[in-house]
């Protein structure tokens, strides 16, 4: 039976800069607290140690993994915590050498002693971490794996179906299965996805959550386009979305993200301006992400800018009459394509390189754009295939372990490729397609397995060693 992966599993609201290295460890810490609660030992705990392994250790500082586990253990929720509160919580832990476990029990906690960066890899997955609670001369260890996109599993659970006991009316593992449903029922991909989502939530919940996701994306772009300065982390990367946006928008007046969207619709739309707007939207999101801001994993934090940039392109350039229905349609298609990639390959750069993040996000965006622009299900899957085909082999080599160079720019390239892929698919008779999407997903996974481990989010190869922090 196919795994029931929801659109809302693929599009999660959280805090940057990384879904696998920040959001995942944060969620793992929450699950550890629940285990302590269920075992009735939370109130007895006197100290906690965290061991980070593999990619979480090698690039953990740049990805704020250490901050994430502290915030998670403190009982904070990444989806709702006021971003402005993060610095204060971390400073308090550093200054007092104490942590308020589950926001209820104060324990001794020295960051340099209690968070341990182990460069060795655990055999089950590249992103492993172990929490150990100490109490009454006893200890309780628990190991988790952050497998990309904010998903967290334990080794003894080999299937990721533990989070849902529901069965979709249209179970899907392969793109060919999705296409078969569409063809036999003469329905759009988004319609099939919507019926599956109704097995998990009410129609009102689906609508509200989809719009909450979109509003988070829109607010993220808005914040990014109106924030200037230097990104944190030591690379001294200057924000570019602010200046680019200022040059594009001019002296326009608006007072909200929605008014901003309407204002952009009135701007010049020559080819160069379109390229600049799409790039600006993507840069804005990933600059917010790099600053521990709130973003939507799409399907990861490192690739969070592609889907909102392409959706914004559709709303402000392609279809000024588009409304909430098209937004929901776009997000449902994107989510389903991402789920198929997750089942057939990976969305973790630590497992597959950047093809698993920017490549997948570009395929998701291309497919979604193709459907809202009138593409058939065959063309939609073709658009996803084209986008991924031209990201195959893309490595993950962040300088200094930070989700900044080359990650931020890669989102702009992924967005442009997605638009191009959708246009190519729309102008093609899908019957003439030579490469089915499932074949590309299989190829991506094989490429991931063949890829040298130093190019999988370790900062031990590529640009990460060609360019030193001192050079910046």
């Amino acid at each position: 039976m196919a795994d029931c992966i929801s659109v809302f599993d693929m599009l999660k609201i959280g805090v940057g800069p990384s879904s696998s290295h920040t959001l995942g460890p944060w969620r793992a810490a929450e699950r550890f607290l629940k285990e302590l609660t269920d075992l009735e030992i939370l109130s007895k705990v006197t100290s906690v140690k965290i061991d980070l392994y593999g990619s979480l250790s090698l690039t953990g500082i740049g990805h704020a993994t250490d901050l994430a586990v502290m915030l998670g253990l403190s009982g904070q929720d990444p989806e709702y915590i006021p971003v402005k509160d993060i610095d204060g919580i971390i400073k308090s832990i550093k200054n007092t050498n104490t942590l308020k476990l589950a926001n209820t029990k104060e324990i001794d906690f020295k960051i340099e002693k209690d968070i341990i960066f182990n460069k060795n890899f655990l055999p089950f997955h590249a992103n492993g971490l172990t929490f150990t609670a100490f109490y009454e001369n006893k200890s309780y260890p628990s190991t988790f794996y952050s497998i990309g996109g904010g998903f967290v599993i334990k080794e003894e659970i080999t299937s990721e179906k533990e989070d849902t006991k529901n069965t979709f009316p249209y179970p899907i593992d392969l793109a060919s299965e999705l296409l078969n449903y569409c063809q036999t029922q003469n329905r759009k991909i988004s319609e099939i996805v919507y019926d599956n989502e109704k097995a998990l939530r009410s129609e009102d919940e689906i609508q509200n959550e989809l719009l909450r996701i979109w509003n988070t994306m829109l607010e993220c772009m808005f914040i990014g386009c109106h924030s200037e300065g230097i990104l944190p982390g030591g690379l001294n990367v200057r924000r570019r979305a602010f200046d680019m946006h200022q040059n594009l928008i001019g002296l326009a007046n608006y007072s909200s993200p929605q008014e901003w969207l309407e204002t952009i619709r009135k701007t010049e739309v020559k080819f160069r301006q379109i390229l600049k707007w799409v790039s600006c939207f993507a840069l804005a999101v990933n600059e917010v992400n790099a600053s521990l801001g709130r973003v939507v994993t799409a399907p990861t934090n490192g690739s969070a800018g592609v889907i909102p940039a392409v959706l914004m392109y559709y709303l402000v350039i392609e279809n000024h009459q588009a409304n909430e229905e098209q937004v929901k349609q776009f997000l449902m298609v994107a989510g389903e394509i991402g789920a198929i990639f997750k089942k057939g390959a990976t969305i973790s750069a630590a497992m597959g390189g950047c093809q698993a993040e920017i490549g997948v996000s570009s395929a998701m965006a291309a497919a979604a754009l193709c459907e809202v622009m009138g593409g058939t299900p065959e063309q939609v899957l073709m658009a996803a295939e084209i986008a991924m085909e031209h990201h195959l082999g893309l490595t993950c080599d962040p300088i200094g372990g930070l989700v900044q160079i080359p990650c931020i720019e890669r989102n702009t390239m992924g967005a442009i490729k997605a638009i191009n892929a959708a246009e190519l698919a729309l102008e093609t008779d899908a019957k003439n397609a030579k490469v089915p999407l499932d074949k590309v997903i299989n190829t991506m996974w094989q490429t991931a397995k063949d890829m040298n481990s130093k190019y999988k989010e370790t900062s031990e190869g590529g640009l990460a060693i060609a360019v030193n922090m001192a050079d910046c």
Side-chain angles (χ1 to χ4, degrees), residues 337-403:
I337 296 300
I340 293 173
F341 270 99
K342 184 181 186 303
K343 293 168 187 175
T346 181
I347 58 170
S348 167
M351 292 296 288
C354 199
Q355 61 172 356
E357 298 203 16
I358 294 295
V360 173
S361 64
S362 186
M364 293 165 68
L369 180 62
C370 188
E371 178 168 303
V372 296
M373 291 180 67
T376 64
E378 293 85 354
Q379 289 173 321
V380 170
L381 298 181
M382 185 180 187
E385 177 275 316
I386 293 170
M388 173 50 76
E389 184 178 325
H390 301 290
H391 282 95
L392 288 173
L394 186 61
T395 61
C396 181
D397 51 353
I399 298 174
L402 296 165
V403 193

Side-chain angles (χ1 to χ4, degrees), residues 298-342:
T300 67
N301 282 38
S303 60
V306 176
I307 287 172
V310 175
L311 178 49
M312 191 70 160
Y313 158 81
Y314 174 71
L315 295 173
V316 301
I317 304 295
E318 280 299 325
N319 185 0
H320 288 190
Q321 281 69 52
N323 55 35
E324 292 178 350
E325 291 307 309
Q326 284 76 40
V327 169
K328 292 183 289 184
Q329 183 182 357
F330 188 104
L331 294 176
M332 284 190 288
V333 174
E336 183 58 44
I337 296 300
I340 293 173
F341 270 99
K342 184 181 186 303

Side-chain angles (χ1 to χ4, degrees), residues 125-417:
H125 192 277
N127 291 333
L129 69 165
T130 298
F131 296 89
T132 305
F134 298 91
Y135 67 103
E136 297 178 343
N137 295 319
K138 301 176 186 177
S139 64
Y140 173 75
S142 188
T143 299
F144 299 86
Y145 298 89
S146 178
I147 61 174
F151 287 86
V152 176
I153 62 172
K154 304 202 74 172
E155 186 170 356
E156 62 266 24
I157 302 171
T158 56
S159 168
E160 292 148 33
K161 290 183 283 187
E162 75 274 15
D163 290 330
T164 175
K165 297 179 181 178
N166 297 277
T167 301
F168 286 162
Y170 303 108
I172 299 163
D173 276 335
L174 303 171
S176 57
E177 294 170 342
L178 173 59
L179 182 58
N180 182 62
Y181 293 133
C182 293
Q183 290 174 333
T184 56
Q185 300 197 29
N186 192 28
R187 302 176 77 196
K188 297 176 181 177
I189 288 175
S190 58
E191 293 171 335
I192 297 295
V193 177
Y194 187 55
D195 278 357
N196 278 346
E197 290 298 325
K198 287 192 290 185
L200 303 175
R201 296 171 178 83
S202 70
E203 294 188 41
D204 283 346
E205 287 174 322
I206 295 169
Q207 171 163 309
N208 292 339
E209 281 301 296
L210 286 172
L211 293 180
R212 188 166 75 96
I213 286 168
W214 164 240
N215 287 329
T216 301
M217 289 179 170
L218 180 59
E219 182 179 44
C220 184
M221 286 184 281
F222 184 83
I223 291 171
C225 284
H226 295 83
S227 301
E228 57 183 331
I230 304 297
L231 294 175
L235 286 178
N236 295 314
V237 174
R238 178 177 170 78
R239 289 176 180 261
R240 284 181 285 178
F242 180 88
D243 291 333
M244 185 179 287
H245 173 262
Q246 195 60 50
N247 290 334
L248 287 164
I249 202 77
L251 300 175
N253 293 314
Y254 45 84
S255 58
S256 70
Q258 187 59 42
E259 285 184 21
W260 175 60
L261 186 155
E262 297 295 341
T263 302
I264 297 172
R265 284 177 165 172
K266 301 172 185 176
T267 62
E268 191 174 29
V269 289
K270 292 180 180 178
F271 182 67
R272 285 188 68 197
Q273 277 69 34
I274 294 172
L275 285 178
K276 289 177 183 178
W277 271 121
V278 174
S279 296
C280 182
F281 299 144
L283 288 174
V285 171
N286 287 87
E287 288 172 358
V288 170
N289 180 62
S291 304
L292 275 77
R294 180 159 284 115
V295 299
V296 177
T297 64
T300 67
N301 282 38
S303 60
V306 176
I307 287 172
V310 175
L311 178 49
M312 191 70 160
Y313 158 81
Y314 174 71
L315 295 173
V316 301
I317 304 295
E318 280 299 325
N319 185 0
H320 288 190
Q321 281 69 52
N323 55 35
E324 292 178 350
E325 291 307 309
Q326 284 76 40
V327 169
K328 292 183 289 184
Q329 183 182 357
F330 188 104
L331 294 176
M332 284 190 288
V333 174
E336 183 58 44
I337 296 300
I340 293 173
F341 270 99
K342 184 181 186 303
K343 293 168 187 175
T346 181
I347 58 170
S348 167
M351 292 296 288
C354 199
Q355 61 172 356
E357 298 203 16
I358 294 295
V360 173
S361 64
S362 186
M364 293 165 68
L369 180 62
C370 188
E371 178 168 303
V372 296
M373 291 180 67
T376 64
E378 293 85 354
Q379 289 173 321
V380 170
L381 298 181
M382 185 180 187
E385 177 275 316
I386 293 170
M388 173 50 76
E389 184 178 325
H390 301 290
H391 282 95
L392 288 173
L394 186 61
T395 61
C396 181
D397 51 353
I399 298 174
L402 296 165
V403 193
Q404 296 180 20
I405 303 174
C407 320
I408 296 174
E409 284 184 356
R410 280 185 179 169
N411 279 263
T412 72
M413 305 306 291
I416 296 299
K417 282 186 181 181

Side-chain angles (χ1 to χ4, degrees), residues 29 32-33 48 50 69-75 99-102 131:
F32 180 63
L33 291 180
V48 173
I50 306 100
V69 294
M70 287 188 281
L71 290 164
L73 290 173
S74 299
L99 183 150
K100 200 169 185 181
L101 196 64
F131 296 89

